[in-house]
Amino acid sequence: MELRLMKIAAPAGLCGALLPALPALAADAPAPAAAGANTAWILIASALVLFMTLPGLALFYGGLVRARNVLSVLMNCFAICCIASLIWVTFGYSLAFDAGNPWIGTLSKAFFANLTTPTATGLPENVFALFQMTFAIITPALIIGAFPERAPFAFVVVFSAIWLVLVYIPAAHWLWGGGWLAAMGALDFAGGIVVHTTAGVSALVAAIMIGKRRGFPHELIPPHSPAMTMAGAGILWVGWFGFNGGSALAADASAANAIIATHVAASAGALTWTAIEWLKLGKPTSVGLVTGCVAGLATITPAAGYVGPGGAIVIGTLGGIVCFYAVMLVKHRLLIDDSLDVFAVHGVGGMLGSLLLSVFALPQLGGNGLAEGMTVLSQLGVQALAVGVTGLWSGVFTWGIVKLINVGIERRVSAEVEYEGLDLTTHGERAYEIG
């Protein structure tokens, strides 16, 4: 079998292009000198990305909800990790990354069978599959931030499993597994489209269908622990080095470039958001600072391997501005209770960054260039198509999945359960002793 690695920083002018098919190493073939370093780095990056979900995202989201729902958020993240891992190993990876056809892969690598070791990087395919598993874990976990405190545990688990199969896996194949969008020259270094666009659009649709929390928007629903949220955001920031830096699939200068771009974009996004909040609301808040940081991180993700530090700072700054006003639009104008701003931060940020890379992914800016044969305008057109199609696919299938599940599982808890909190009513436990 052959492995096609889509997520790799290619030479100038060839970023995002598919690597040539690489035969398996013969038993007596010497490994490339860098094989050990590359393998070690991707194993570390895999741990970092998993660390983003557990405990990073769990704590980030957990601090933003009320005290009576903290455990439910942590439970959701842990359960999604477990079910996504099993799906990925049994058939998800094969459908996403085995050659197949332009729309979906085959099942020849189900249960991680028939994996190979490419000679170009010396990276064993099971290491690559492990790294990709961590992306499959965090993506559906992002979505639950749109409807915490009101969706039943059973609904969350079943929704996440079906969504992973029908939305995430096809999108991953289209862009990273040799699918039709990759063939057109669409670029997505680390998940602006595959991760953030799919999760963001799906979160918006699910939030609308599940409905608002009791009291929204007339009652103030403050986070119960901004300190917990800041701790989670710090873990996310560090873990994002593995998310974006690991997507170079090598321990080299391209990984370092992606990490530098990630770091400065996060810094720019955090400070930009805080400045706007300070000017508009009169106070800089901890939640605003870390939300801006995540906005910068989401916006740079699709472009991290294609731009230099200057472009990354601009992208992070624009991410902070656009995502801030997206939150205002969704929550205060449209009155949609996307509780933890998944669409406005992750969705809008990922889509914005996917378009902006067309402008900033130029060799003279320190990046690796556009896809082969592309101009800025043609690349922008392909990126817009990829964002639009993936967003539409995500929204339509999310609507269908919620409708399907609701036949057998209520998508929302009763008013009494919501009032008492999901921790005690669903799990029989409390995060904190009260009274």
Side-chain angles (χ1 to χ4, degrees), residues 358-370:
S358 305
V359 177
F360 294 101
L362 301 174
Q364 60 264 35
L365 292 179
N368 295 311
L370 304 172

Side-chain angles (χ1 to χ4, degrees), residues 242-271:
F243 198 88
N244 289 355
S247 294
L249 299 180
D252 59 11
S254 61
N257 182 78
I259 291 174
I260 292 168
T262 299
H263 187 67
V264 297
S267 302
L271 293 177

